[in-house]
Amino acid sequence: LKKNELVLLISKDSSYLTEVEKRKMHTKDGIFNLDELLKKKLGDSIQTHLKKKFKIAKPNLVDIFEKRMKRLPQIITTKDSASILAHTGVLQGSLVVDVGTGSGFLAIFLASYIKPGKVVTYEINKKNFKVAKENIRLVGLEKFVKIKNKDATKGIDEKNVDLVTVDVQNPEKVIKNAYKSLKVGGYLVVYSPTVEELMNAVGKIKSFDFSQVNILENIAREWKSELTTRPKTMGLMHTGFLIFARKLS
Ligand SMILES: C[S@@+](CC[C@H](N)C(=O)[O-])C[C@H]1O[C@@H](n2cnc3c(N)ncnc32)[C@H](O)[C@@H]1O
C-alpha cells in the first residue's frame, strides 16, 4: 500500500475508512498503528492493540459516501438515487443536469455510472458549492461532474439533455427551464420530501408537454437477524417522493 491511499479496514462487526499514514487511529475496537499498512497489501490483515483482526479492502463508492463525504443539506439516499438510474435508463455517455447540488451526493452517484458521460450540477449557495466541489474531488470525478454556482431558475445552459434531476425547495420554479433543456424522450425527475411540494410540482409538470407522469415512493424496511429474525425497530422512515416525467415535444 502507498502513503495516503484510502483503505477500508473491515471485520465481522465494524469497518473503518482511513488513509495510509504515519499515525495511530483510536477506535472502539482498539488502536490501529496505521504505519503497519505501508508493509501490507489489499487482502492482508491488520490487528488493533486489543488483538481484533481486520481485513484490508479497497473502499467502494458507498463506503466513501457513508464514512468520508461531508454532508450539508439533506442528501438523496442511495435507494432513491439507484431508482432514478433504474427508471430513466440513463447509460454511460448520457448528459445529465442536476439542479440543487447540495453536498453533491446525487451528482456523484449518477456520474459514477454514466461516465464518460457528464453531470452538470447547479448550486446557488456558495458554501454548499465549495463543499460539493471538495466531495467531487475526493472521489476523483472532476472530469465527469461540472458544478456551476448558478441559480437554475434563471436558466439552464445545457441543451439536448437526457435527464434533469431537481432537488430544491419550490421545484415548480425550475420546471420550465428543465423542460427547455431536455431532449424529446428525456426524463425529468423531481425529488420532493413533502406532499405539498409534490402536488405543486406535479401541477406544473402537467402544464408542459410531458408524458408518463409517475410518482414513486421507495419504502425500504431493514430487518435484523440475530437471536431472532424480524424488522428493525428504528430506521429511516421517510426520505422523499420521486416524480418521473418524460418530454414529449
Ligand atoms: C436538498 S439539497 C440537494 C441535495 C443533493 N441532491 C444531494 O443528494 O446531495 C438542495 C440544494 O439546492 C440548492 N438550491 C436551492 N435553490 C436552487 C436554485 N434555484 N438553483 C440552484 N441550486 C439551488 C440549495 O442551496 C441546496 O444546496
Side-chain angles (χ1 to χ4, degrees):
L1 297 171
K2 292 194 297 289
K3 194 159 184 278
N4 296 329
E5 190 173 341
L6 209 52
V7 290
L8 185 75
L9 308 177
I10 182 165
S11 74
K12 271 214 162 62
D13 305 314
S14 48
S15 62
Y16 301 98
L17 189 76
T18 178
E19 267 97 11
V20 176
E21 49 192 7
K22 291 194 172 182
R23 69 173 179 97
K24 293 194 181 349
M25 180 168 74
H26 293 252
T27 70
K28 67 176 173 48
D29 293 299
I31 304 168
F32 287 95
N33 186 355
L34 297 178
D35 231 10
E36 287 174 29
L37 289 170
L38 285 163
K39 292 174 238 130
K40 308 258 185 195
K41 58 181 185 316
L42 294 175
D44 286 352
S45 301
I46 183 169
Q47 282 190 356
T48 66
H49 82 294
L50 299 175
K51 301 272 178 267
K52 290 202 180 170
K53 199 169 162 184
F54 284 73
K55 281 283 182 187
I56 306 165
K58 191 174 163 58
N60 66 24
L61 183 67
V62 177
D63 298 320
I64 298 174
F65 269 6
E66 287 175 355
K67 295 186 190 298
R68 184 53 64 95
M69 279 179 31
K70 200 165 170 195
R71 293 179 185 213
L72 284 171
Q74 196 192 18
I75 63 157
I76 298 193
T77 58
T78 43
K79 81 174 162 77
D80 292 316
S81 303
S83 176
I84 295 174
L85 267 187
H87 289 276
T88 62
V90 282
L91 287 171
Q92 284 142 6
S94 295
L95 174 62
V96 174
V97 167
D98 170 55
V99 175
T101 316
S103 14
F105 275 64
L106 178 64
I108 289 172
F109 185 93
L110 293 175
S112 306
Y113 293 94
I114 67 156
K115 65 182 186 184
K118 283 202 173 47
V119 176
V120 182
T121 179
Y122 286 71
E123 176 54 57
I124 200 170
N125 178 295
K126 192 86 193 164
K127 185 173 156 228
N128 297 358
F129 171 82
K130 283 191 181 147
V131 169
K133 210 165 181 160
E134 181 50 27
N135 282 338
I136 294 161
R137 192 202 56 76
L138 184 75
V139 291
L141 283 174
E142 302 96 317
K143 265 169 61 188
F144 308 107
V145 185
K146 185 173 169 51
I147 174 164
K148 296 185 173 178
N149 190 199
K150 282 179 81 168
D151 178 351
T153 63
K154 304 257 164 69
I156 293 176
D157 309 319
E158 294 67 32
K159 295 279 169 271
N160 223 20
V161 172
D162 296 292
L163 164 66
V164 178
T165 58
V166 179
D167 178 16
V168 295
Q169 268 181 1
N170 307 120
E172 65 280 1
K173 292 187 179 161
V174 187
I175 284 163
K176 185 176 177 195
N177 291 340
Y179 174 80
K180 284 198 283 185
S181 75
L182 280 167
K183 62 164 68 158
V184 169
Y187 270 96
L188 168 68
V189 178
V190 178
Y191 177 86
S192 302
T194 66
V195 171
E196 289 75 11
E197 207 174 82
L198 168 92
M199 286 167 69
N200 286 340
V202 168
K204 191 75 183 179
I205 290 169
K206 287 190 171 167
S207 71
F208 290 91
D209 202 11
F210 281 109
S211 81
Q212 300 173 18
V213 182
N214 283 321
I215 302 165
L216 181 76
E217 183 185 9
N218 282 310
I219 300 171
R221 190 155 69 133
E222 280 193 80
W223 288 49
K224 64 176 184 182
S225 178
E226 289 163 0
L227 286 176
T228 57
T229 302
R230 62 184 184 83
K232 285 188 182 174
T233 328
M234 309 275 272
L236 190 59
M237 299 307 289
H238 172 68
T239 56
F241 306 100
L242 290 167
I243 311 164
F244 292 86
R246 210 161 180 194
K247 180 166 169 168
L248 207 50
S249 66

